[in-house]
Amino acid sequence: MASILDVISDGRIVLGLGTGSDRAEHAAYGVAFGSRAQRTTRLIEALDVLHALWAETDGARVEGMLAGAPCRPKPVQRPHPPVWLAANGPRLLHLAGERADGIVAAFVGPAEFGRRLALATESHQGAERSGQFDAAIYTYVLPLTPETDGWIAAEARAIGTTLAGLRRWVATTGIVAPPDELAGRFEEYRLAGASDAILVLPNRVPDEAIVALAEAVLAPVSVIATSAGAGVSTKENLVHRLVDVHRIAGRGSDVAAIAGERQWSFDGLWDATERAHGALAGAGVRRGERVVIALRDGFDWLATFLGVASLGAVAVPIDPLAPEHRTDEILVDCEPTAVVAGAETAILSGPWRVLDPAWLHDGAPRSPVAVHEGDLGYLVYSSGSTGRPKGAMHTHGDLRAGIETYATEVLELGPGDRCLSVARLFTSLGFGNGFFRPLGLGAAVVLGAPLPNVRSVLQMVARDGVTVLTAVPTFWAQLADFASRHPVGDALASVRLGVSSGDSLPAPIGTRIRDELGIDLIEGLGCSECSNILISTRPGCPSPGRLGEVVTGIDIRLADPDGVPVADGEPGRLWIRSASNTSGYWRRPDLTRELVHGEWLRMGDVLIREDRVFRHVGRVDDLFKVDGLWISPIEIESALHEHNAVSEVAVVGLPDERGLLRPVAFVVPADGANVPPDELRRHVAARLGRHRAPTRIEIVADLPRLPSGKTDRRALRGEGPSEPTSNDQPSASEMID
């Protein structure tokens, strides 16, 4: 078909391909929708067929698909018509660079357009391909003239909105401007690398609108006008799933958020979201651009995150109290258009605007934009193996899996529940159990104190009637110790369920919480890369020292280093298949290749399965968690090396007296130096934060070495040399290393 059209058009066809994202369209034509990975595989097969037919027009062969197939008539363009791929994620962008001639980027701002083009161009150059590589922006557009309202009146009536509402909606997903401004708007995309523009007009506009558009953009940009179709919807915006769906169901007056004496209903949260959207848009934030949220947990955090999502931009929550260099690393990495931060957070000067959160409440209200469920919605940052932050990319649609699986099946959340997470909202655990899972099912979120401790949390639980309390194991250990010294009375009487996640919970602590405080405490394993809890014990069925069973709707497999599944009772590296899996790490193609394997994510956790129940063994590298946050030994060692009393140092994670992992430093003193442990701890805390400061410092004469000369961390952990196994399966200690 492409070849025939190329002949008819005298060599002017461009063939656009994609993986397809419209379920209804697939169903209408009787084509199985399949998973994202399956659709990508079909796209690769289509490219195989196209290139084979165009290369051997008299008889092409593709194993399993073609055998001597002709392609007649031959296309006019040689060696073949250009092929553009609709691509947003790293995998398709790299595929486009390696095997196509251009990309189509839909409904994104110039900055995001440039980022996608850079990824595809990098692969194009890496594949040593010659020829031009094109890039087209696909976006809504509407010229504002005295006739505009007449053009769109029929469409506004058809979709049940006002003329102003339709104009506003198109503006949030594309370009609405007077004719003399349109060329300038397209120039922004040209400067970002766009070679072409595919412009989408609202349905039912007359020919005069197309003529006016063509006249307005008499610039070196080709114009292909189409009418708006399916594939985007305001219902795919995560704001709809977390807030508007409850208003539609008649629960707009229900409590959605509580912070001290203040409460917000879902109606109030919706109003704050629309105002934050308007303020951010007025500050120059556009669809697809990043907005860093450096705020303490509270109403400002909620309004900002939801306002960013409503705009179609990408929210990036970070720790507002992080050391300055850590914040700077994330800002440089994600290059936000704006940073919403309080006075307590030091923000590096840069091309981004720094916004006061109070200002967002005064914006002119704007309704949520329509998005694809696969559009990027938020980044969750954690530390990589070198300590450099890495941002797991998640779409608007990724929240659905966490709401419809774990939150529904295990937590059984619903209207009337009040959920408090001691883990902060910028962490994966706090973001899930303290924000989107409760709101997604109509429960209320209770926003915590700035620096929570056991006493303040108990006061909040009693005051606000918390029914589901989530925390990392450290808090549960502190609560158990506190309760042994102070009577807690009925402070926890409202709690029907406690949740422990973030790292391993020592069995004795869980038992004490259940037996002495009467809390039904469940444990689980989740990750920022999946934005969900994957494995969990169930209410009423404690399993001390174990993680429980897989959550319905998520697939888990354990494999050896070669990817071969291991037997029950054998340690294996965790692989995850879930609808909420990340597409990769922001601007980290190296780590993304290690993580993403088709539909599966290969994690660094090592688990053992015993009759459907899983037990956590450790990590395949040397990273460990403290209070739900990843700790990099290299980062701590670097800070300690700054002190003149330290000659050499190695840091590992070792359990304290309660069985909780804590950083322990082994220090070789500088010649004649007196090593002051308390001073070293304060030194690290000032640079990296208190949770990264070593809880114990051991003074040693030398560090153990491997034959390569590297520090032998296994020896420091007391694990000793590995022993040969009797079969091909690695031992647990080998897997950890």
Side-chain angles (χ1 to χ4, degrees), residues 507-567:
I509 294 175
T511 300
R512 288 179 61 190
I513 293 295
R514 297 181 188 97
D515 294 349
E516 298 175 18
L517 298 179
I519 294 179
D520 192 356
L521 183 64
I522 63 173
E523 303 171 43
L525 174 69
C527 63
S528 59
E529 289 81 1
C530 187
S531 202
N532 201 3
I533 301 292
L534 322 162
I535 303 170
S536 177
T537 57
R538 282 5 184 221
C541 302
S543 183
R546 290 172 171 80
L547 296 173
E549 300 182 17
V550 177
V551 174
T552 301
I554 296 171
D555 294 322
I556 295 296
R557 71 184 185 198
L558 304 182
D560 67 15
D562 295 322
V564 178
V566 300

Side-chain angles (χ1 to χ4, degrees), residues 468-484:
V468 179
L469 178 61
T470 297
V472 295
T474 298
F475 172 81
W476 294 112
Q478 293 171 345
L479 176 59
D481 291 343
F482 181 91
S484 66

Side-chain angles (χ1 to χ4, degrees), residues 16-41:
L17 297 176
T19 57
S21 60
D22 190 338
R23 290 179 182 271
E25 188 175 69
H26 281 71
Y29 286 93
V31 178
F33 187 68
S35 65
R36 185 179 304 174
Q38 289 170 332
R39 301 197 305 276
T40 300
T41 298

Side-chain angles (χ1 to χ4, degrees), residues 444-518:
V445 295
V446 178
L447 303 172
L451 293 173
N453 53 45
V454 172
R455 193 180 299 275
S456 67
V457 169
L458 288 174
Q459 291 172 347
M460 292 172 61
V461 169
R463 181 192 67 208
D464 300 320
V466 171
T467 61
V468 179
L469 178 61
T470 297
V472 295
T474 298
F475 172 81
W476 294 112
Q478 293 171 345
L479 176 59
D481 291 343
F482 181 91
S484 66
R485 301 189 304 270
H486 309 281
V488 298
D490 59 357
L492 297 167
S494 63
V495 178
R496 67 171 179 83
L497 189 63
V499 180
S500 178
S501 187
D503 50 12
S504 298
L505 176 72
I509 294 175
T511 300
R512 288 179 61 190
I513 293 295
R514 297 181 188 97
D515 294 349
E516 298 175 18
L517 298 179

